[in-house]
Amino acid sequence: MSVETVRTWVGLPGAEPRERHTDLDVASVPVGGKPVAPTGVAVSEDRIGVIVSASRPDAARSFFSRLGSRAVRTHFGTVAGVAILAVLLWRLGTGVFLDGLRRIDGPTLLVGLGIGLVTTVFSAWRWQLVARGLRIRLPLGPAVADYYRALFLNAALPGGVLGDVHRAVRHGQSAGDVGRGVRSVVIERAAGQLALAVVGAAVLLTMPSPVLADARHFAPLIVFAALGALAVVVALRMNRAPSRRGRALRASLGEAREGLLSRRNLPGVALSSTVVLAGHLGMFVVAARVAGSAASAAVLLPIAVLALLAMSLPLNVGGWGPREGVTAWAFGAAGLGASSGLAVAVVYGVLSFVASLPGVLVLVVRWYAGLRAAAGDDTGARAAAADPEPRHAPTAYSVGPLPVSIEKYVPKDSARLARSAFPFSAEPSEGRPMTPESV
């Protein structure tokens, strides 16, 4: 039953009536009797006036609260990716997808595995450099295995970032500092996105592309707007007192500078990011050749940059969605055909997924190792349960701040057996010379 708002006016002798607001259930007011106040004190009927108003739900507030709920935020990217793919299927048909899949053969898959191996190793090396800048030990071999596992989870699970989240948390747990482990992964991914942004801006502003005219027109405005926003932020920072959030931000920026821009890490991070980006662009050109596109590499390069930028948007299903839409639009705008662009995106998606398949092997191996470790723990637990009290377990007593063990003073097994079997043992006591009394 809904809660009604009951307003009761109580008049006091010689004083102005005061208003008291109380939320009561309708069933709390008896029918035919005197209403009872919340405190349990009966109030006369001539001093009571009841105004009942039914509460009306706010439809707009309820809609926006549901729209901003955690479930909607979690699945929004997946729904957006599915919607993009549905629109492409509706406009271009399923034949384009099937045609792109039919063109993939064994040598193409091997090329995808080879390019994926190169990009994954250099990405893991970049992650190792960033972790070293944050004073976290990360060997290259485990880094490559973890990166393969993250790539496979990114490609197999919705959202496209769950593998990186898993990699960050597991690395932080193994390093004993989850926050620093998460920051190392975030900085490493930011380094890749920064390299893509810098190279992409240079390519789109200098090479013929569907967005060249618009990019040249809006580039000065974007640069001036960014500089103005940076100046405003710096001015506000200078006039604001230091706070905990500001100190945390400065600490994070210091870690990012140490992990990326330090003299020891900058050359390796720049080289690895360049090789990784070149591998992704090369895989796009291979996908275009497999899909039957005869466009030159100079024409395909800006389109590949646009496709990679679209892949960085968190609106996909395992990487599928914006990449296919942007590639189809870019091919159509360049006069190469939207259907051809969609086929190229499909082949590229398949090659990217194949390049991440070694992550399945990593998952299986570590799952088996976990089972063996669990079996070993169970065996040890059963052995401990079978013999809960060892025969000669040392006993430790805590005297003051340090525990003192009496294991030294427990007779040795050999001494016990010698004394029990041979009354005249010839073994000397500890620290004492042989005497007739000690025999």
Side-chain angles (χ1 to χ4, degrees):
M1 183 178 295
S2 62
V3 178
E4 310 291 345
T5 303
V6 179
R7 298 180 178 178
T8 307
W9 285 267
V10 179
L12 299 177
E16 294 292 332
R18 59 175 180 169
E19 184 179 3
R20 180 166 58 189
H21 303 278
T22 309
D23 290 337
L24 295 176
D25 194 271
V26 175
S28 64
V29 181
V31 180
K34 294 183 178 181
V36 180
T39 58
V41 180
V43 183
S44 60
E45 293 183 351
D46 55 346
R47 294 185 178 181
I48 296 177
V50 179
I51 300 177
V52 180
S53 60
S55 60
R56 297 180 180 179
D58 192 347
R61 182 179 301 176
S62 176
F63 173 75
F64 285 110
S65 63
R66 293 179 180 179
L67 189 62
S69 62
R70 183 177 181 181
V72 173
R73 293 195 305 269
T74 302
H75 300 289
F76 178 75
T78 303
V79 173
V82 171
I84 293 173
L85 293 176
V87 171
L88 290 175
L89 287 175
W90 173 56
R91 295 297 300 271
L92 301 177
T94 58
V96 180
F97 281 88
L98 298 178
D99 183 65
L101 294 176
R102 281 194 297 264
R103 292 176 177 271
I104 302 175
D105 53 5
T108 303
L109 297 179
L110 292 178
V111 170
L113 281 173
I115 296 177
L117 176 62
V118 174
T119 56
T120 303
V121 170
F122 275 88
S123 298
W125 180 41
R126 180 177 61 194
W127 182 27
Q128 183 188 30
L129 294 175
V130 173
R132 185 182 65 181
L134 271 64
R135 299 181 297 279
I136 300 178
R137 183 178 178 274
L138 179 62
L140 183 60
V144 173
D146 290 345
Y147 218 101
Y148 261 122
R149 180 180 59 189
L151 289 176
F152 175 74
L153 294 178
N154 285 340
L157 299 177
V161 295
L162 296 180
D164 292 324
V165 173
H166 182 264
R167 172 166 63 105
V169 174
R170 289 295 298 272
H171 179 228
Q173 291 176 348
S174 62
D177 192 341
V178 177
R180 190 171 295 179
V182 170
R183 290 193 294 273
S184 68
V185 174
V186 171
I187 294 173
E188 183 269 328
R189 295 294 294 170
Q193 296 300 320
L194 181 61
L196 175 60
V198 172
V199 175
V203 169
L204 294 177
L205 291 175
T206 57
M207 301 183 67
S209 66
V211 297
L212 178 60
D214 295 335
R216 288 180 176 178
H217 180 71
F218 288 106
L221 298 178
I222 295 175
V223 170
F224 285 125
L227 292 177
L230 181 61
V232 171
V233 170
V234 170
L236 292 177
R237 288 289 179 185
M238 293 177 63
N239 296 328
R240 182 183 300 176
S243 60
R244 173 183 290 183
R245 183 174 298 180
R247 289 192 296 268
L249 180 60
R250 285 193 296 271
S252 300
L253 292 178
E255 289 181 341
R257 183 171 57 252
E258 183 66 25
L260 298 179
L261 304 178
S262 63
R263 184 177 302 177
R264 183 175 58 174
N265 286 356
L266 179 59
V269 171
L271 176 61
S272 60
S273 300
T274 303
V275 173
V276 171
L277 181 57
H280 291 318
L281 296 176
M283 186 177 291
F284 189 89
V285 175
V286 171
R289 294 292 179 260
V290 172
S293 176
S296 62
V299 176
L300 293 174
L301 191 58
I303 300 177
V305 169
L306 291 175
L308 293 179
L309 290 174
M311 286 177 59
S312 62
L313 298 176
L315 305 173
N316 57 75
V317 185
W320 297 77
R323 176 185 60 207
E324 284 68 28
V326 170
T327 306
W329 167 81
F331 266 74
L336 303 175
S339 299
S340 178
L342 182 56
V344 171
V346 170
V347 175
Y348 182 85
V350 173
L351 293 181
S352 300
F353 182 76
V354 170
S356 68
L357 284 181
V360 179
L361 181 61
V362 175
L363 286 173
V364 172
V365 169
R366 294 191 173 177
W367 171 74
Y368 181 70
L371 288 182
R372 292 191 62 181
D377 294 341
D378 293 341
T379 303
R382 286 195 296 268
D387 191 9
E389 296 183 359
R391 181 175 298 176
H392 302 295
T395 307
Y397 298 96
S398 177
V399 179
L402 297 176
V404 178
S405 176
I406 66 172
E407 183 182 4
K408 178 179 178 181
Y409 305 101
V410 176
K412 302 295 188 295
D413 292 345
S414 59
R416 287 183 175 181
L417 292 176
R419 284 195 294 269
S420 61
F422 305 99
F424 302 100
S425 173
E427 292 183 7
S429 301
E430 294 183 5
R432 291 184 295 173
M434 289 289 296
T435 60
E437 289 81 10
S438 63
V439 177

